[in-house]
Amino acid sequence: MKLSENFSLQEFTKSQTALRLGIDNTPEGEHLEAAQALFENVVQPVRDFFGPTVINSGYRGPELNEAVGGSTKSQHTKGQAVDIEVPGTANAEVAEWIAENLDVDQLILEFAEEDDPAAGWVHVSYRDDGENRNQYLTAARDPETRKVNYYSGIGVYS
């Protein structure tokens, strides 16, 4: 099944953990509808602008989310979020383009590094109910405590 012109449901639900543990990670109903909206309104436009786009983490059904220690509030569990990268393009550039051009619920530039444009990834979520917050954040790990800090806006913090 296609979620958009260039992306399949299989790409969005692929999980080594699910395969290893025999977990069915197939979204249905409102989760599948949310995934289609996410891809039509965010992921496909990124692909159309930048070219080939890689999905690092997509849908996580409740059983898979628990197995990987994910937050119970994660939008990944609702089909509303995806973590992506565009090979050959700095993640910060991708995040900035999304912020400037697309309606999103939450956009997080995660663990980007100034001296390594390929470091990290872009987490983006979209709600198909019209309640998108257009919240932009950057996640960075404190080098001393290893704690993850979230900063308002898109930037590189290290």
Side-chain angles (χ1 to χ4, degrees):
M1 172 184 188
K2 290 278 206 179
L3 293 175
S4 68
E5 181 182 346
N6 295 103
F7 295 96
S8 69
L9 179 62
Q10 182 180 9
E11 288 174 277
F12 185 53
T13 61
K14 182 180 178 183
S15 164
Q16 293 302 317
T17 302
L19 287 172
R20 190 175 65 253
L21 298 177
I23 297 170
D24 180 5
N25 193 44
T26 307
E28 296 178 348
E30 64 186 18
H31 293 178
L32 182 56
E33 290 172 17
Q36 290 172 311
L38 169 67
F39 277 79
E40 289 171 8
N41 292 285
V42 179
V43 185
Q44 187 64 47
V46 169
R47 166 63 163 87
D48 291 345
F49 186 80
F50 288 103
T53 302
V54 176
I55 299 170
N56 293 341
S57 180
Y59 180 71
R60 294 193 304 256
E63 189 177 355
L64 176 59
N65 193 57
E66 185 176 333
V68 300
S71 166
T72 57
K73 297 178 183 178
S74 173
Q75 288 181 285
H76 285 277
T77 66
K78 300 174 184 175
Q80 296 175 335
V82 66
D83 297 341
I84 59 172
E85 291 182 76
V86 175
T89 303
N91 288 313
E93 182 179 340
V94 174
E96 289 167 0
W97 185 87
I98 293 170
E100 292 170 4
N101 293 282
L102 303 175
D103 183 38
V104 299
D105 187 52
Q106 190 177 60
L107 174 67
I108 308 173
L109 175 60
E110 300 203 45
F111 310 111
E113 297 176 12
E114 218 165 347
D115 58 345
D116 182 4
W121 60 88
V122 177
H123 167 94
V124 63
S125 65
Y126 179 86
R127 293 175 52 151
D128 60 350
D129 62 5
E131 298 295 322
N132 287 309
R133 297 173 285 175
N134 289 297
Q135 180 183 49
Y136 310 120
L137 302 169
T138 297
R141 194 172 305 281
D142 183 291
E144 292 178 20
T145 66
R146 306 298 300 154
K147 179 182 178 229
V148 177
N149 295 308
Y150 290 87
Y151 303 91
S152 182
I154 301 299
V156 178
Y157 303 92
S158 47

